Amino acid sequence: MLGTDSGTVECWDPRSRSRCATLAVANTKNITCVKSNKTLELAVGTESGQVILYDIRSTKPILTKDHHYEKPINSIHFYNSDSENYVISACSKSFKIWHKDNGKPFTAIESDEDICDVAWFEGSGMFFFANEGQKMKTYFIPSLGPAPKWCWFLDNLTEELEESTENVVYDDYKFVTSEELESLGLAHLIGTNYLRATCMASLLI
């Protein structure tokens, strides 16, 4: 399968060396990326920054996801697991992971340097961004999968970070005014460790 600059996706049979099907994508002049889900699903990236999902048995799109940057889509991947199914897509300005069924976002990364392509180490949560900067960018998303065997230490690092999480200083406090404190009958707590004064004419209890 390949995309054309006339807004179509063409399917070719390598055995007969002939075109066997053509899909006309509406409202676009240039197809910049095509990815199959190894099933009946097909994702098409457009010059205007949209990812369009198709069932290859129909010419009607299932879902359209807009990156909202009007930059060509340059990379598409499918993430499939027993519990979640995502589409991973990128344009030069942003990298997005979203739910395949409804388009709701899972996470997104905006890049200072233009993204040229995204490589995903399948079966893991590791991504590599080829970009216009001097260094390739590497991202690890543990909720998508473990680290590759050759960088196993990342799993230990994320576990340590989860174990070392601490409550924010004011997690167990509530902002109240002096009037609210008096109405609650708690004015006698002023000056004790149960109250902390703030610079906003209020107290933390």
Side-chain angles (χ1 to χ4, degrees):
M1 284 181 290
L2 55 89
T4 71
D5 57 6
S6 58
T8 62
V9 176
E10 296 182 355
C11 298
W12 288 74
D13 188 339
R15 297 167 296 181
S16 62
R17 298 183 181 181
S18 62
R19 184 173 58 196
C20 56
T22 301
L23 171 67
V25 180
N27 302 321
T28 187
K29 295 180 179 179
N30 193 1
I31 305 300
T32 56
C33 191
V34 178
K35 185 71 174 182
S36 170
N37 195 17
K38 300 178 182 179
T39 58
L40 297 174
E41 294 172 323
L42 176 69
V44 178
T46 71
E47 186 179 35
S48 57
Q50 295 178 325
V51 179
I52 307 172
L53 297 185
Y54 287 93
D55 184 314
I56 61 174
R57 296 169 295 185
S58 172
T59 58
K60 184 178 180 180
I62 300 172
L63 187 149
T64 299
K65 180 71 174 180
D66 198 330
H67 270 232
H68 297 293
Y69 281 98
E70 297 183 355
K71 299 291 184 180
I73 301 297
N74 56 38
S75 179
I76 301 175
H77 298 278
F78 284 96
Y79 173 90
N80 300 307
S81 70
D82 295 335
S83 57
E84 297 291 350
N85 296 302
Y86 299 118
V87 177
I88 303 163
S89 57
C91 67
S92 61
K93 294 299 182 183
S94 67
F95 164 87
K96 296 177 183 287
I97 301 177
W98 42 280
H99 292 267
K100 184 185 70 176
D101 297 329
N102 52 31
K104 291 184 178 179
F106 172 73
T107 190
I109 298 171
E110 293 186 356
S111 177
D112 294 331
E113 293 86 12
D114 285 356
I115 301 170
C116 302
D117 194 12
V118 172
W120 171 41
F121 194 92
E122 292 195 32
S124 78
M126 180 161 285
F127 297 87
F128 301 94
F129 289 15
N131 63 90
E132 294 295 343
Q134 293 184 351
K135 296 182 179 180
M136 180 177 291
K137 294 183 178 181
T138 305
Y139 294 91
F140 178 50
I141 305 175
S143 55
L144 294 182
K149 292 181 179 179
W150 42 269
C151 56
W152 54 268
F153 59 88
L154 286 177
D155 285 326
N156 295 337
L157 181 62
T158 53
E159 287 178 5
E160 290 175 5
L161 289 173
E162 289 176 356
E163 292 172 359
S164 64
T165 55
E166 299 179 358
N167 290 335
V168 179
V169 176
Y170 299 121
D171 269 358
D172 298 325
Y173 284 80
K174 179 180 176 62
F175 281 98
V176 293
T177 64
S178 300
E179 292 77 12
E180 289 173 332
L181 201 64
E182 291 180 3
S183 65
L184 292 170
L186 299 176
H188 63 282
L189 295 178
I190 295 176
T192 69
N193 292 331
Y194 293 104
L195 289 177
R196 292 188 183 184
T198 71
C199 60
M200 297 179 289
S202 62
L203 299 159
L204 283 165
I205 185 171

